DNA sequence: CGCCAGATTGATACACATCAATTCTCGTGG
DNA sequence: CCACGAGAATTGATGTGTATCAATCTGGCG
């Protein structure tokens, strides 16, 4: 779960709570989903499933990054989420996927049959609970993303995005962008040019720095946080 | 569930499914949530809970309309969803609400203690399943909403919004707007002025008509659907 | 009647999109 | 090893959709 939340808000909401990685009352430390999955691999830019496909399976990311996206007839694209390790996707209660899922990088996944998960959930409340947690976190992320798309300026969007990334890959002030500029643009509701210009501007101001486009250093996260603003 | 999906896509995904108001396979026709709730009422514009409040309860709408929203320091507001009969809200897996909930109209709600629902879900998989369905539908709606905010023009947003409303209140080509223009604007990521202008333009073209602002007739839903486009 | 909040309409400004070159990176083949 | 080409990123010049600022209009209510 997670799906790239923006603004400090999400982090704020879950100060020490953190995930409940283990089942509420599980004897061992086993995630209730672990036994049900089958391994699957996709290489960079492969489609995992298409919007409109019948939704027989859902997946969990083991490594790599996945994007959920939709393209309009005339080619406009929106990315709803970038998913990374631990995130569940493809769970829908209608018969069909609403968004396509594509591999941003080479990815390894666990693939679950919806029917089998449903079945197993009847016996194990912990399993249902687990899926519920994953979904509710994604919903919170989506809501934060709505604020970003509906009400934030380009600079604020970029700042929120970068801060989200550092939080998820807690490696100090350094961020590895798994996705290209176009992906970032389509996630943030901007154009590539605006993303590029805005990042260059932040660089000129000394707030961030980067030699290659895919590896960014946050020089003044304070300034970024001020931009991201949150609520 | 639902939360005002935009574009025809959601309706397409759930053509006749509609809500599942009653429990999936319950012996009687009892929703597993029904026994757990306590009645609650809020009048128009009252706050049900604030963003940041500890999330002890969740709610289901019995009648009226609720908005989920967040306001930035400098007063920009985004509405994440309008919720109506049957919709669940306030379920979060972090300790705190991420968005405020407010009554758009006078509303009657069922109020549930999170702790008690959790408890009951351990015994009844059907209950967990029920909540899961409600959340997953909301997540799908939120994703559609992201496409709307990230990539659609003002006219497309309005068209999608109106079509969503008719679908939910299936009363032919007539739509009752429970919310004021500002609410519509904050849901669609626009300003009141743009909403007003865009609706006037649609009216001039004979696509919609309205005498009072809160009661709209769809004269040519075909034209609206062409605008809404979907994927 | 007169007030006030909400809605509409008008004039102007601006943030971001669009169109158009470069520049950079890297894989490929001569 | 270097020339070449292609896709991605950056930078520049210009356009435009929507925001902003500013009246005016409308309907409900004290």
């Amino acid at each position: 779960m997670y799906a790239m939340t923006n603004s400090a808000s999400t982090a704020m909401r879950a100060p020490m709570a953190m995930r409940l990685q283990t089942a509420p009352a599980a004897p061992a430390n086993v995630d209730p989903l672990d036994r049900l999955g089958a391994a699957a691999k996709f290489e960079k830019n492969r489609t995992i499933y298409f919007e409109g496909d019948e939704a027989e399976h859902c997946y969990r990311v083991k490594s790599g990054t996945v994007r959920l996206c939709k393209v309009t007839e005339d080619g406009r694209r929106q990315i709803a989420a970038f998913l990374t390790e631990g995130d569940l996707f493809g769970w829908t209660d209608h018969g069909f996927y609403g968004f396509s899922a594509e591999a941003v990088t080479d990815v390894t996944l666990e693939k679950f049959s919806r029917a089998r998960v449903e079945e197993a959930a009847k016996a194990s409340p912990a399993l249902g609970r687990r899926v519920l947690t994953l979904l509710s976190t994604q919903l919170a992320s989506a809501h934060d993303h709505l604020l970003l798309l509906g009400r934030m300026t380009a600079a604020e969007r970029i700042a929120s995005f970068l801060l989200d990334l550092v939080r998820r890959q807690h490696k100090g002030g350094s961020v590895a962008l798994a996705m290209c500029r176009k992906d970032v643009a389509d996630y943030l509701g901007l154009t590539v040019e605006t993303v590029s210009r805005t990042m260059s501007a932040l660089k000129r101001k000394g707030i961030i720095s980067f030699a290659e486009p895919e590896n960014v250093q946050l020089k003044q996260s304070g300034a970024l946080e001020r931009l991201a603003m949150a609520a």
Side-chain angles (χ1 to χ4, degrees), chain A residues 5 9 31 35 50 54 70 74 85 89 102 105 139 152 165 171 183 185 208 213 216 224 227:
Chain A
T5 76
S9 66
D31 188 302
R35 314 194 142 277
F50 288 94
E54 205 176 334
K70 186 178 259 189
D74 60 349
E85 194 186 337
F89 63 97
E102 301 168 359
T105 61
L139 183 59
M152 301 193 116
L165 286 179
K171 305 199 178 131
D183 280 352
I208 64 176
V216 178
L224 276 186
L227 268 175

Side-chain angles (χ1 to χ4, degrees), chain A residues 154-155 157-159 161-162 165 175 177 179-181 184-185 188 190-210 212-218 224:
Chain A
R157 295 181 203 203
I158 297 281
F161 180 70
L162 291 175
L165 286 179
V175 184
L177 290 294
M179 67 295 290
C180 66
R181 290 287 187 267
V184 175
L188 297 179
L190 301 168
T191 59
V192 208
E193 294 93 330
T194 299
V195 170
S196 193
R197 268 189 259 275
T198 306
M199 296 207 37
S200 298
L202 289 175
K203 191 203 249 179
R204 260 194 311 277
K205 290 180 194 159
I207 295 175
I208 64 176
S209 74
F210 53 96
E212 328 87 63
E214 55 278 354
N215 202 334
V216 178
Q217 254 76 290
L218 310 197
L224 276 186

Side-chain angles (χ1 to χ4, degrees), chain A residues 2-6 80 137-148:
Chain A
Y2 261 113
M4 204 97 326
T5 76
N6 48 281
T137 310
Q138 276 189 269
L139 183 59
S141 296
H143 282 168
D144 285 342
H145 197 180
L146 290 173
L147 175 63
L148 183 145

Side-chain angles (χ1 to χ4, degrees), chain A residues 5-13 144 147-148 151-152 156-157 159-160 163 167 222-231:
Chain A
T5 76
N6 48 281
S7 80
S9 66
T10 301
M12 194 185 67
R13 276 205 307 283
D144 285 342
L147 175 63
L148 183 145
R151 292 303 186 208
M152 301 193 116
E156 292 167 344
R157 295 181 203 203
S160 299
L163 287 172
R167 265 177 226 124
L224 276 186
E225 261 144 26
R226 236 166 294 130
L227 268 175
M229 242 198 2

Side-chain angles (χ1 to χ4, degrees), chain A residues 44-84:
Chain A
K44 184 166 172 165
N45 287 323
R46 285 278 182 282
T47 298
I48 298 160
Y49 56 72
F50 288 94
E51 168 197 351
D53 281 359
E54 205 176 334
E56 295 185 62
H57 299 92
C58 61
Y59 302 81
R60 190 167 52 170
V61 182
K62 246 182 168 145
S63 72
T65 301
V66 170
R67 60 175 173 256
L68 296 185
C69 60
K70 186 178 259 189
V71 182
T72 63
E73 298 164 346
D74 60 349
R76 286 174 284 176
R77 185 176 72 151
Q78 179 63 42
I79 295 179
F82 291 115
L83 304 167
T84 54

